[in-house]
Amino acid sequence: MGKVEKVEELLNSVDAIIWEWDVREKRYTFVSQQAERILGYPLSQWQTESEFWLVHLHPEDRERMVAFRERLLREKLEQASVDYRMVAADGRILWLRERVTVVVEDGKVTKLRGVTMDITEAKEAEERFFKAFHSSLTAMAIARQEDRKFVEVNDQFVALTGYSRDELIEQAPEKLQLWLPSPDRAEKEEQLRRQGEIREWEKRLKRKDGSVRDVLTSIVAIEIGGQPCLLFNLLDITERKQAEAILRDARNALEFQVRQRTSDMETFVYAVSHDLRAPLMALEGFAQALLEDYADRLNETGRDYCRRIINAARKMDQLINAVLDYGRLSYMELTVGAVSLERIVDDALQLLEAYLTQKDARVIVTRPLPEVVGHHALLVQIVVNLLTNAVKFTPPDRKPEVKVWAEKREGIVRLWVEDNGIGIPVEHQERIFQPFTRLHPETAYPGVGIGLAIVKRGVERMNGKVGVLSEPSKGSRFWIELPASKNDPLPA
Ligand code: ADP
């Protein structure tokens, strides 16, 4: 193969049309084979048909291209680039990008040489992009990367800024002063340079009329027509920010009120408990004094009355405490967060250690226990109450055995406390959660009847539920349900 053939083969293998056009004869002196593949006309037609190129140009581009060619010849431009359309042999319209070199001999342009590429797909993608751009519900604009001048804006952008299209396109950014200075600008510019995009940057935009809007801005580096550009996508969040501010103010006011009310309640509760306790202590103290100092002047019935007064006063004290505890649960501020049931159960067991030993009770915990969303101290109190009852309500001749385990499904954790105690008849299973509801005399099983009410209200304040399954003499299974913590590692 000769040198010339080799070069030709090379030119033919390039995925573009390589050509040479004779200015005087107005015809192609060389066209590479890709021309036939891309546009469908036989190479012979390119070379023989006079003004082949002009004839097959898209009619709408003809005038512009004639002017382009004339300018090339007149100004003897060394190199120029242009996009235009041609009609292929099968009628399809193709977008071509052409780079032309001018050959000058003896001061005269004798030939044009060029490389023409098929960019139809890229152009179509660009067209689809612009369609989306113009029909977007958010404000969008394209600026050239080098001088930051807008080359395209959509109607939403015009509406958002208050400037007309003409006032925006090709205007120097310093002249428009669209953006108010933002403190994180340098950092964001750096991010844009490094990553080619910025997402959801909160900026403040000054409209033509001087009013200011809060906008969430995304910026992406893109290429349009071979030129590096920046695509701006703006969402006006002024109203949203205003609503958020109002909400925040309202929340603060509410928090203040709650705190105020809580402190009012604390003061009230302290006063009430103090005022109620004073006469109680007097009752107990004087009954005690009677027993000690006047024992010889009282008979057994008299001494029994004194002891009953003392017991009743102590009971009253317990009741006052119970009422206060229960009341506090309703008004106290409660912030919930991720807490570990494992730690809660451990803390409860530690608090009950002496009681469990005294009752010779066995508590079996199935571990690991998951994390829930709740309040640690309140949950410890709840588990203490459930465990205490589980051990307390067991017949005297039976060794208490308590099982604790948890189930997790669909974002909810259910903690079970099961005992082998006396059980609860079905008809009482709901009412035992009411304050001061007891099924047994104080002498059989001591208590004031507030434990389960605290369990119920406490769990409900943590957005949970409580319940019991029980059969008399066979034991009870109490459960509490709470939202699972999102970062809990245990599987659902
Ligand atoms: P207290 O334990 O002070 O009586 P609670 O509110 O904790 O108050 O319980 C209310 C009543 O519910 C108890 O008096 C008892 O009759 C019944 N109860 C609670 N837990 C159990 C249990 N584990 N087994 C049987 N009965 C129970």
Side-chain angles (χ1 to χ4, degrees), residues 19 21-26 69-78 100-113:
W19 52 265
W21 192 72
D22 189 296
V23 176
R24 216 159 4 117
E25 293 178 22
K26 294 188 187 306
R69 196 162 76 180
E70 279 169 1
R71 197 165 67 93
L72 266 184
L73 299 177
R74 195 174 56 241
E75 297 177 12
K76 301 189 182 118
L77 292 178
E78 212 163 280
V100 194
T101 317
V102 174
V103 181
V104 183
E105 280 170 312
D106 299 334
K108 266 178 134 176
V109 181
T110 54
K111 287 190 172 102
L112 299 179
R113 288 193 186 125

mmCIF file of all heavy atoms in Angstrom, residues 19 21-26 69-78 100-113:
data_model
loop_
_atom_site.group_PDB
_atom_site.id
_atom_site.type_symbol
_atom_site.label_atom_id
_atom_site.label_comp_id
_atom_site.label_asym_id
_atom_site.label_seq_id
_atom_site.Cartn_x
_atom_site.Cartn_y
_atom_site.Cartn_z
ATOM 1 N N TRP A 19 -12.924 16.667 4.637
ATOM 2 C CA TRP A 19 -13.151 17.098 3.252
ATOM 3 C C TRP A 19 -12.251 18.260 2.843
ATOM 4 O O TRP A 19 -11.664 18.950 3.684
ATOM 5 C CB TRP A 19 -14.614 17.469 3.037
ATOM 6 C CG TRP A 19 -15.140 18.473 4.054
ATOM 7 C CD1 TRP A 19 -15.800 18.175 5.180
ATOM 8 C CD2 TRP A 19 -15.006 19.902 4.017
ATOM 9 N NE1 TRP A 19 -16.116 19.300 5.881
ATOM 10 C CE2 TRP A 19 -15.646 20.393 5.180
ATOM 11 C CE3 TRP A 19 -14.433 20.803 3.120
ATOM 12 C CZ2 TRP A 19 -15.712 21.751 5.476
ATOM 13 C CZ3 TRP A 19 -14.512 22.166 3.416
ATOM 14 C CH2 TRP A 19 -15.146 22.634 4.586
ATOM 15 N N TRP A 21 -12.462 21.461 -0.228
ATOM 16 C CA TRP A 21 -13.386 22.100 -1.184
ATOM 17 C C TRP A 21 -12.614 23.135 -1.980
ATOM 18 O O TRP A 21 -11.882 23.954 -1.399
ATOM 19 C CB TRP A 21 -14.523 22.741 -0.400
ATOM 20 C CG TRP A 21 -15.700 23.206 -1.214
ATOM 21 C CD1 TRP A 21 -16.630 22.433 -1.816
ATOM 22 C CD2 TRP A 21 -16.058 24.568 -1.471
ATOM 23 N NE1 TRP A 21 -17.577 23.198 -2.443
ATOM 24 C CE2 TRP A 21 -17.252 24.532 -2.236
ATOM 25 C CE3 TRP A 21 -15.499 25.793 -1.138
ATOM 26 C CZ2 TRP A 21 -17.884 25.684 -2.677
ATOM 27 C CZ3 TRP A 21 -16.147 26.946 -1.560
ATOM 28 C CH2 TRP A 21 -17.344 26.889 -2.336
ATOM 29 N N ASP A 22 -12.768 23.066 -3.246
ATOM 30 C CA ASP A 22 -12.049 23.987 -4.115
ATOM 31 C C ASP A 22 -12.883 25.252 -4.321
ATOM 32 O O ASP A 22 -14.019 25.194 -4.768
ATOM 33 C CB ASP A 22 -11.787 23.305 -5.468
ATOM 34 C CG ASP A 22 -10.854 24.152 -6.308
ATOM 35 O OD1 ASP A 22 -11.249 25.288 -6.680
ATOM 36 O OD2 ASP A 22 -9.736 23.683 -6.579
ATOM 37 N N VAL A 23 -12.288 26.395 -3.949
ATOM 38 C CA VAL A 23 -13.058 27.636 -3.964
ATOM 39 C C VAL A 23 -13.439 28.052 -5.388
ATOM 40 O O VAL A 23 -14.565 28.476 -5.641
ATOM 41 C CB VAL A 23 -12.258 28.764 -3.259
ATOM 42 C CG1 VAL A 23 -12.988 30.096 -3.349
ATOM 43 C CG2 VAL A 23 -12.001 28.396 -1.809
ATOM 44 N N ARG A 24 -12.492 27.908 -6.290
ATOM 45 C CA ARG A 24 -12.766 28.378 -7.644
ATOM 46 C C ARG A 24 -13.767 27.481 -8.357
ATOM 47 O O ARG A 24 -14.730 27.942 -8.947
ATOM 48 C CB ARG A 24 -11.452 28.427 -8.450
ATOM 49 C CG ARG A 24 -11.422 29.616 -9.432
ATOM 50 C CD ARG A 24 -10.000 29.974 -9.821
ATOM 51 N NE ARG A 24 -9.042 29.045 -9.244
ATOM 52 C CZ ARG A 24 -8.248 28.253 -9.976
ATOM 53 N NH1 ARG A 24 -8.250 28.296 -11.260
ATOM 54 N NH2 ARG A 24 -7.412 27.439 -9.374
ATOM 55 N N GLU A 25 -13.570 26.172 -8.240
ATOM 56 C CA GLU A 25 -14.465 25.243 -8.951
ATOM 57 C C GLU A 25 -15.756 24.969 -8.201
ATOM 58 O O GLU A 25 -16.665 24.320 -8.715
ATOM 59 C CB GLU A 25 -13.733 23.918 -9.195
ATOM 60 C CG GLU A 25 -12.578 24.081 -10.160
ATOM 61 C CD GLU A 25 -11.838 22.769 -10.336
ATOM 62 O OE1 GLU A 25 -12.455 21.691 -10.071
ATOM 63 O OE2 GLU A 25 -10.662 22.798 -10.710
ATOM 64 N N LYS A 26 -15.813 25.460 -6.935
ATOM 65 C CA LYS A 26 -17.001 25.232 -6.094
ATOM 66 C C LYS A 26 -17.391 23.757 -6.033
ATOM 67 O O LYS A 26 -18.559 23.404 -6.233
ATOM 68 C CB LYS A 26 -18.196 26.058 -6.601
ATOM 69 C CG LYS A 26 -18.011 27.562 -6.462
ATOM 70 C CD LYS A 26 -19.311 28.264 -6.801
ATOM 71 C CE LYS A 26 -19.188 29.768 -6.861
ATOM 72 N NZ LYS A 26 -18.633 30.411 -5.709
ATOM 73 N N ARG A 69 -19.824 31.353 5.130
ATOM 74 C CA ARG A 69 -18.802 30.999 4.144
ATOM 75 C C ARG A 69 -18.174 32.251 3.535
ATOM 76 O O ARG A 69 -16.964 32.338 3.361
ATOM 77 C CB ARG A 69 -19.397 30.111 3.055
ATOM 78 C CG ARG A 69 -18.318 29.419 2.238
ATOM 79 C CD ARG A 69 -18.857 28.258 1.491
ATOM 80 N NE ARG A 69 -19.629 28.696 0.328
ATOM 81 C CZ ARG A 69 -20.217 27.849 -0.509
ATOM 82 N NH1 ARG A 69 -20.154 26.550 -0.308
ATOM 83 N NH2 ARG A 69 -20.898 28.309 -1.543
ATOM 84 N N GLU A 70 -19.032 33.236 3.258
ATOM 85 C CA GLU A 70 -18.512 34.471 2.677
ATOM 86 C C GLU A 70 -17.550 35.177 3.616
ATOM 87 O O GLU A 70 -16.530 35.719 3.207
ATOM 88 C CB GLU A 70 -19.671 35.401 2.296
ATOM 89 C CG GLU A 70 -20.256 34.979 0.950
ATOM 90 C CD GLU A 70 -21.560 35.690 0.643
ATOM 91 O OE1 GLU A 70 -21.996 36.527 1.478
ATOM 92 O OE2 GLU A 70 -22.150 35.382 -0.414
ATOM 93 N N ARG A 71 -17.899 35.150 4.896
ATOM 94 C CA ARG A 71 -17.045 35.805 5.882
ATOM 95 C C ARG A 71 -15.686 35.097 5.971
ATOM 96 O O ARG A 71 -14.639 35.735 6.056
ATOM 97 C CB ARG A 71 -17.727 35.774 7.261
ATOM 98 C CG ARG A 71 -17.128 36.758 8.262
ATOM 99 C CD ARG A 71 -18.060 36.945 9.448
ATOM 100 N NE ARG A 71 -18.179 35.711 10.244
ATOM 101 C CZ ARG A 71 -17.416 35.439 11.297
ATOM 102 N NH1 ARG A 71 -16.509 36.288 11.706
ATOM 103 N NH2 ARG A 71 -17.572 34.314 11.955
ATOM 104 N N LEU A 72 -15.744 33.756 5.893
ATOM 105 C CA LEU A 72 -14.509 32.968 5.918
ATOM 106 C C LEU A 72 -13.562 33.404 4.811
ATOM 107 O O LEU A 72 -12.376 33.629 5.022
ATOM 108 C CB LEU A 72 -14.835 31.497 5.677
ATOM 109 C CG LEU A 72 -15.040 30.552 6.843
ATOM 110 C CD1 LEU A 72 -15.248 29.142 6.305
ATOM 111 C CD2 LEU A 72 -13.850 30.579 7.760
ATOM 112 N N LEU A 73 -14.141 33.503 3.600
ATOM 113 C CA LEU A 73 -13.330 33.808 2.434
ATOM 114 C C LEU A 73 -12.826 35.245 2.486
ATOM 115 O O LEU A 73 -11.683 35.533 2.166
ATOM 116 C CB LEU A 73 -14.149 33.582 1.150
ATOM 117 C CG LEU A 73 -14.634 32.134 0.961
ATOM 118 C CD1 LEU A 73 -15.505 32.022 -0.297
ATOM 119 C CD2 LEU A 73 -13.448 31.173 0.845
ATOM 120 N N ARG A 74 -13.724 36.113 2.921
ATOM 121 C CA ARG A 74 -13.393 37.534 2.947
ATOM 122 C C ARG A 74 -12.308 37.802 3.990
ATOM 123 O O ARG A 74 -11.305 38.425 3.722
ATOM 124 C CB ARG A 74 -14.650 38.329 3.271
ATOM 125 C CG ARG A 74 -14.520 39.823 2.985
ATOM 126 C CD ARG A 74 -15.848 40.526 3.191
ATOM 127 N NE ARG A 74 -16.383 40.303 4.531
ATOM 128 C CZ ARG A 74 -17.552 39.707 4.784
ATOM 129 N NH1 ARG A 74 -18.309 39.273 3.815
ATOM 130 N NH2 ARG A 74 -17.954 39.563 6.024
ATOM 131 N N GLU A 75 -12.539 37.293 5.197
ATOM 132 C CA GLU A 75 -11.625 37.615 6.295
ATOM 133 C C GLU A 75 -10.458 36.649 6.371
ATOM 134 O O GLU A 75 -9.594 36.786 7.228
ATOM 135 C CB GLU A 75 -12.396 37.645 7.620
ATOM 136 C CG GLU A 75 -13.456 38.746 7.637
ATOM 137 C CD GLU A 75 -14.285 38.740 8.907
ATOM 138 O OE1 GLU A 75 -13.899 38.038 9.869
ATOM 139 O OE2 GLU A 75 -15.320 39.425 8.936
ATOM 140 N N LYS A 76 -10.454 35.648 5.516
ATOM 141 C CA LYS A 76 -9.389 34.643 5.477
ATOM 142 C C LYS A 76 -9.122 34.090 6.879
ATOM 143 O O LYS A 76 -7.979 33.974 7.308
ATOM 144 C CB LYS A 76 -8.096 35.237 4.877
ATOM 145 C CG LYS A 76 -8.292 35.756 3.470
ATOM 146 C CD LYS A 76 -6.966 36.121 2.856
ATOM 147 C CE LYS A 76 -7.155 36.692 1.474
ATOM 148 N NZ LYS A 76 -6.699 38.061 1.322
ATOM 149 N N LEU A 77 -10.198 33.812 7.584
ATOM 150 C CA LEU A 77 -10.072 33.295 8.960
ATOM 151 C C LEU A 77 -9.286 31.993 8.910
ATOM 152 O O LEU A 77 -9.545 31.135 8.069
ATOM 153 C CB LEU A 77 -11.454 33.032 9.556
ATOM 154 C CG LEU A 77 -12.302 34.271 9.818
ATOM 155 C CD1 LEU A 77 -13.653 33.862 10.359
ATOM 156 C CD2 LEU A 77 -11.595 35.198 10.808
ATOM 157 N N GLU A 78 -8.340 31.884 9.802
ATOM 158 C CA GLU A 78 -7.512 30.690 9.783
ATOM 159 C C GLU A 78 -8.347 29.460 10.159
ATOM 160 O O GLU A 78 -8.240 28.406 9.554
ATOM 161 C CB GLU A 78 -6.378 30.858 10.768
ATOM 162 C CG GLU A 78 -5.132 30.145 10.320
ATOM 163 C CD GLU A 78 -3.954 30.679 11.081
ATOM 164 O OE1 GLU A 78 -3.438 31.762 10.723
ATOM 165 O OE2 GLU A 78 -3.598 30.012 12.063
ATOM 166 N N VAL A 100 -13.517 24.484 10.167
ATOM 167 C CA VAL A 100 -13.018 24.779 8.817
ATOM 168 C C VAL A 100 -11.685 25.513 8.885
ATOM 169 O O VAL A 100 -11.490 26.395 9.716
ATOM 170 C CB VAL A 100 -14.022 25.667 8.039
ATOM 171 C CG1 VAL A 100 -13.685 25.677 6.570
ATOM 172 C CG2 VAL A 100 -15.438 25.183 8.273
ATOM 173 N N THR A 101 -10.772 25.102 8.008
ATOM 174 C CA THR A 101 -9.491 25.786 7.887
ATOM 175 C C THR A 101 -9.422 26.396 6.487
ATOM 176 O O THR A 101 -9.870 25.788 5.515
ATOM 177 C CB THR A 101 -8.337 24.771 7.998
ATOM 178 O OG1 THR A 101 -8.640 23.882 9.035
ATOM 179 C CG2 THR A 101 -7.029 25.465 8.272
ATOM 180 N N VAL A 102 -8.882 27.584 6.415
ATOM 181 C CA VAL A 102 -8.791 28.270 5.130
ATOM 182 C C VAL A 102 -7.368 28.092 4.573
ATOM 183 O O VAL A 102 -6.397 28.313 5.286
ATOM 184 C CB VAL A 102 -9.107 29.764 5.321
ATOM 185 C CG1 VAL A 102 -8.889 30.536 4.035
ATOM 186 C CG2 VAL A 102 -10.542 29.920 5.807
ATOM 187 N N VAL A 103 -7.281 27.671 3.300
ATOM 188 C CA VAL A 103 -5.951 27.504 2.685
ATOM 189 C C VAL A 103 -5.694 28.710 1.786
ATOM 190 O O VAL A 103 -6.480 28.988 0.884
ATOM 191 C CB VAL A 103 -5.885 26.209 1.850
ATOM 192 C CG1 VAL A 103 -4.495 26.033 1.248
ATOM 193 C CG2 VAL A 103 -6.257 25.013 2.736
ATOM 194 N N VAL A 104 -4.641 29.437 2.084
ATOM 195 C CA VAL A 104 -4.329 30.643 1.304
ATOM 196 C C VAL A 104 -3.072 30.387 0.458
ATOM 197 O O VAL A 104 -2.054 29.940 0.981
ATOM 198 C CB VAL A 104 -4.093 31.849 2.249
ATOM 199 C CG1 VAL A 104 -3.835 33.120 1.442
ATOM 200 C CG2 VAL A 104 -5.288 32.024 3.178
ATOM 201 N N GLU A 105 -3.203 30.645 -0.836
ATOM 202 C CA GLU A 105 -2.036 30.500 -1.724
ATOM 203 C C GLU A 105 -1.863 31.806 -2.487
ATOM 204 O O GLU A 105 -2.835 32.299 -3.084
ATOM 205 C CB GLU A 105 -2.265 29.335 -2.694
ATOM 206 C CG GLU A 105 -1.993 27.988 -2.041
ATOM 207 C CD GLU A 105 -2.447 26.805 -2.894
ATOM 208 O OE1 GLU A 105 -3.588 26.833 -3.394
ATOM 209 O OE2 GLU A 105 -1.672 25.864 -3.052
ATOM 210 N N ASP A 106 -0.671 32.367 -2.434
ATOM 211 C CA ASP A 106 -0.385 33.663 -3.081
ATOM 212 C C ASP A 106 -1.387 34.731 -2.659
ATOM 213 O O ASP A 106 -1.921 35.473 -3.505
ATOM 214 C CB ASP A 106 -0.407 33.527 -4.617
ATOM 215 C CG ASP A 106 0.662 32.551 -5.084
ATOM 216 O OD1 ASP A 106 1.667 32.404 -4.335
ATOM 217 O OD2 ASP A 106 0.467 31.926 -6.141
ATOM 218 N N GLY A 107 -1.709 34.742 -1.426
ATOM 219 C CA GLY A 107 -2.606 35.787 -0.910
ATOM 220 C C GLY A 107 -4.075 35.557 -1.245
ATOM 221 O O GLY A 107 -4.926 36.352 -0.902
ATOM 222 N N LYS A 108 -4.349 34.442 -1.887
ATOM 223 C CA LYS A 108 -5.746 34.188 -2.248
ATOM 224 C C LYS A 108 -6.216 32.894 -1.597
ATOM 225 O O LYS A 108 -5.454 31.938 -1.505
ATOM 226 C CB LYS A 108 -5.847 34.023 -3.765
ATOM 227 C CG LYS A 108 -6.202 35.339 -4.474
ATOM 228 C CD LYS A 108 -6.211 35.058 -5.907
ATOM 229 C CE LYS A 108 -7.245 35.489 -6.811
ATOM 230 N NZ LYS A 108 -6.821 35.069 -8.192
ATOM 231 N N VAL A 109 -7.471 32.884 -1.201
ATOM 232 C CA VAL A 109 -8.022 31.656 -0.626
ATOM 233 C C VAL A 109 -8.329 30.701 -1.775
ATOM 234 O O VAL A 109 -9.108 31.027 -2.670
ATOM 235 C CB VAL A 109 -9.308 31.936 0.168
ATOM 236 C CG1 VAL A 109 -9.835 30.646 0.770
ATOM 237 C CG2 VAL A 109 -9.057 32.957 1.259
ATOM 238 N N THR A 110 -7.670 29.542 -1.743
ATOM 239 C CA THR A 110 -7.910 28.596 -2.818
ATOM 240 C C THR A 110 -8.774 27.415 -2.376
ATOM 241 O O THR A 110 -9.558 26.894 -3.139
ATOM 242 C CB THR A 110 -6.586 28.035 -3.343
ATOM 243 O OG1 THR A 110 -5.868 27.515 -2.228
ATOM 244 C CG2 THR A 110 -5.779 29.111 -4.053
ATOM 245 N N LYS A 111 -8.618 27.065 -1.121
ATOM 246 C CA LYS A 111 -9.341 25.868 -0.653
ATOM 247 C C LYS A 111 -9.869 26.058 0.759
ATOM 248 O O LYS A 111 -9.304 26.831 1.539
ATOM 249 C CB LYS A 111 -8.385 24.671 -0.653
ATOM 250 C CG LYS A 111 -8.078 24.164 -2.050
ATOM 251 C CD LYS A 111 -7.327 22.850 -1.974
ATOM 252 C CE LYS A 111 -7.203 22.253 -3.361
ATOM 253 N NZ LYS A 111 -5.845 22.481 -3.928
ATOM 254 N N LEU A 112 -10.908 25.320 1.030
ATOM 255 C CA LEU A 112 -11.370 25.181 2.414
ATOM 256 C C LEU A 112 -11.183 23.722 2.771
ATOM 257 O O LEU A 112 -11.451 22.845 1.957
ATOM 258 C CB LEU A 112 -12.853 25.551 2.538
ATOM 259 C CG LEU A 112 -13.249 26.980 2.158
ATOM 260 C CD1 LEU A 112 -14.758 27.145 2.319
ATOM 261 C CD2 LEU A 112 -12.515 27.985 3.059
ATOM 262 N N ARG A 113 -10.716 23.486 3.996
ATOM 263 C CA ARG A 113 -10.607 22.101 4.457
ATOM 264 C C ARG A 113 -11.355 22.012 5.772
ATOM 265 O O ARG A 113 -11.352 22.969 6.553
ATOM 266 C CB ARG A 113 -9.151 21.725 4.704
ATOM 267 C CG ARG A 113 -8.379 21.565 3.423
ATOM 268 C CD ARG A 113 -7.057 20.883 3.687
ATOM 269 N NE ARG A 113 -6.302 20.878 2.451
ATOM 270 C CZ ARG A 113 -5.075 21.373 2.326
ATOM 271 N NH1 ARG A 113 -4.458 21.907 3.374
ATOM 272 N NH2 ARG A 113 -4.462 21.337 1.173
#
